[in-house]
Amino acid sequence: MPTVSFTQVLARFLEAPSAEVGGGTVGEALAAVFTSRPALRGYVLDDQGALRQHVAVYVNGRLVSDRVRLSDPVGASDEIYVFQALSGG
Amino acid sequence: MAGRLHVATRKGLFELARGGHGWEVADAQFLGDPVSAVLADAEGALYAALDLGHFGAKLWRREADGAWRELAAPAFPPKPADDGADPHPWSLGKIWVLEPGGVPGCLWAGTMPGGLFRSDDGGQSWSLNEALWHMPERRKWAGVAGGEQPGIGSVLVDPRDPSDIRIGVSTAGVWASTDEGRSWRNINRGMYAEYMPPELREEPIAQDVHRLARCAAHPEIVWCQHHNGVFRSEDSGATWHELTTIRPSKFGFAVAAHPRDAETAWFVPAVKDERRVPVDGKVVVARTRDGGRSFEVLRNGLPQHHAYDLVWRHALAVDDSGERLAMGSTSGGLWISEDGGDSWMMPEMRLPPIAAVRFAPV
């Protein structure tokens, strides 16, 4: 099952431990995490379910391409990382 | 008189207490995080809205026992797939103002991109005011200067009737509901917008209402700091007349209304929009005590030499007595008056840029 890990910066606001979850896309894997930790959703996604403008998600070190529908595929051994984007100085 | 003051800054929320030696910081929370709005309600809870750069707008509440916990932030419903023409995002940008709704548990949140939200359970859950959001005219709202999103910066609930509400929008004028938010009308007449073409100058929806303040004891009296001047209404925001005697300038963001005296209000004038600094580098407050026919310029205790502090919309507050005022600036200046503005003191502290100040109810 894919593993989802979150930036440690989030620990200032809420618990966000790594988790092994089901799902064949980035969106499905994140949704599986948010099922057990609903408060985390709003930190990562906007109200319409897209990635927040200044949040970056990598799959095995590669930035995801679909930030709106989160349709990038993930495999059972993939590592998904959620970081804050360095959008400024 | 209020003995507690909450200061929302770019780098945290500070609580000041009035002790025997003056005002001192009693608590600092969310250090490092931008706080966009703060509200201390009559039931003893304290609300803080965060504007996290990466992770969005958040809402926290401090209970009467002192423990903070995060609440669900207001959120927009799913945007219909066939609704691509809306120029504004259906996603919460920032909570700009929090106001009590006049009945226990009820709160209103004014936001960017122009959504008005209501909670009936002390902020634990929120619903978008759909009547306002779905009005076709809402799509004509313009963004706050320097930004793309409109903002609801003022929510006035009539203390005599919680179903009677006014909101001030940058940039869309004053909107009224007399049925608890089920329907809305753009009501303001008498304002003018120098930034619009001549034929649109007096359009009610084109007015950049920086901030509204109403007299609690005489709620039909509403004051406005507008982008192009200061105005007063005697009919709950329907018709406005300009107060042309204000000095040293007519531009500014903040206004505070005396809670009992319908003739008294305070403004913080600045050089108009191209520069947005105090006139001649001197921080002053303009006070009227005669309904706006004349103004006094108050400067005792305020910096008068190369001071470039700007006071934002929510960074001027008066307490329930009308005697204590607080004012915070973009440079982190904080001044408190205990004599209605005649004199000001600056507590010994250097704060981050200030977005909002608010006294706790006594």
Side-chain angles (χ1 to χ4, degrees), chain A residues 12 42-43 47-48 54 85, chain B residues 54 58 70 76-77 79 90 92:
Chain A
R12 288 178 56 213
Y43 282 78
D47 296 0
Q48 300 303 314
H54 301 301
Chain B
H54 293 92
K58 307 300 172 198
E70 186 174 3
F76 286 85
K79 184 178 180 180
W90 288 44
L92 181 63

Side-chain angles (χ1 to χ4, degrees), chain B:
Chain B
M1 285 188 284
R4 294 250 160 194
L5 175 68
H6 301 285
V7 183
T9 81
R10 178 79 179 271
K11 295 280 183 182
L13 178 67
F14 298 85
E15 180 171 10
L16 275 65
R18 178 70 162 94
H21 301 289
W23 291 85
E24 295 182 343
V25 173
D27 193 25
Q29 292 289 333
F30 309 109
L31 203 57
D33 298 320
V35 183
S36 61
V38 61
L39 170 68
D41 73 10
E43 290 130 58
L46 178 64
Y47 298 85
L50 307 188
D51 179 23
L52 303 180
H54 293 92
F55 304 117
K58 307 300 172 198
L59 184 63
W60 290 71
R61 184 173 70 187
R62 187 180 72 185
E63 310 295 347
D65 66 3
W68 283 95
R69 71 185 179 93
E70 186 174 3
L71 307 173
F76 286 85
K79 184 178 180 180
D82 59 354
D83 209 357
D86 195 328
H88 307 306
W90 288 44
S91 194
L92 181 63
K94 169 158 61 174
I95 298 171
W96 218 13
V97 67
L98 290 164
E99 293 292 350
V103 293
C106 181
L107 296 171
W108 292 98
T111 75
M112 293 177 191
L116 179 68
F117 291 84
R118 175 180 171 139
S119 172
D120 288 302
D121 55 11
Q124 295 183 76
S125 64
W126 294 85
S127 55
L128 174 68
N129 186 286
E130 305 245 358
L132 186 68
W133 186 251
H134 291 304
M135 280 185 325
E137 299 99 310
R138 197 265 309 160
R139 298 185 181 206
K140 298 178 189 168
W141 292 9
V144 178
E148 296 172 357
Q149 300 186 4
I152 298 174
S154 305
V155 179
L156 307 179
V157 178
D158 191 323
R160 301 163 302 190
D161 177 5
S163 67
D164 194 319
I165 303 156
R166 302 289 179 275
I167 60 170
V169 187
S170 286
T171 298
V174 181
W175 295 74
S177 172
T178 54
D179 55 10
E180 216 174 5
R182 284 188 286 278
S183 65
W184 293 89
R185 293 172 296 124
N186 185 196
I187 59 166
N188 51 296
R189 300 289 183 277
M191 295 173 170
Y192 63 93
E194 291 171 344
Y195 44 82
M196 296 297 285
E199 63 273 22
L200 299 175
R201 196 170 177 267
E202 294 177 15
E203 277 288 308
I205 201 171
Q207 306 304 320
D208 186 358
V209 173
H210 282 180
R211 183 71 169 147
L212 299 174
R214 106 191 297 171
C215 177
H218 306 279
E220 68 280 4
I221 303 296
V222 186
W223 306 80
C224 175
Q225 174 66 65
H226 178 288
H227 192 97
N228 285 130
V230 298
F231 296 83
R232 185 171 185 262
S233 169
E234 297 179 351
D235 55 9
S236 296
T239 57
W240 296 85
H241 63 274
E242 186 177 11
L243 310 177
T244 56
T245 61
I246 190 163
R247 295 173 292 144
S249 65
K250 62 180 187 172
F251 181 81
F253 290 96
V255 53
H258 194 287
R260 293 185 311 279
D261 178 0
E263 305 285 291
T264 296
W266 298 263
F267 296 83
V268 189
V271 176
K272 87 177 183 73
D273 49 319
E274 294 85 352
R275 293 214 171 102
R276 303 179 181 221
V277 293
V279 177
D280 296 330
K282 303 176 194 299
V283 176
V284 299
V285 170
R287 178 180 64 194
T288 177
R289 288 166 142 172
D290 57 9
R293 284 182 290 281
S294 67
F295 283 85
E296 306 160 80
V297 178
L298 310 173
R299 60 179 83 241
N300 184 8
L302 299 174
Q304 300 297 298
H305 186 67
H306 281 293
Y308 301 104
D309 299 75
L310 191 64
V311 175
W312 284 132
R313 288 167 173 77
H314 307 106
L316 172 69
V318 60
D319 78 345
D320 294 337
S321 74
E323 290 298 310
R324 288 190 169 171
L325 291 115
M327 176 169 73
S329 84
T330 52
S331 306
L334 178 71
W335 301 275
I336 297 172
S337 173
E338 298 185 340
D339 53 15
D342 288 336
S343 65
W344 298 79
M345 63 190 109
M346 186 172 192
E348 195 172 339
M349 58 190 72
R350 296 282 303 160
L351 293 177
I354 293 170
V357 296
R358 200 131 192 193
F359 287 103
V362 176

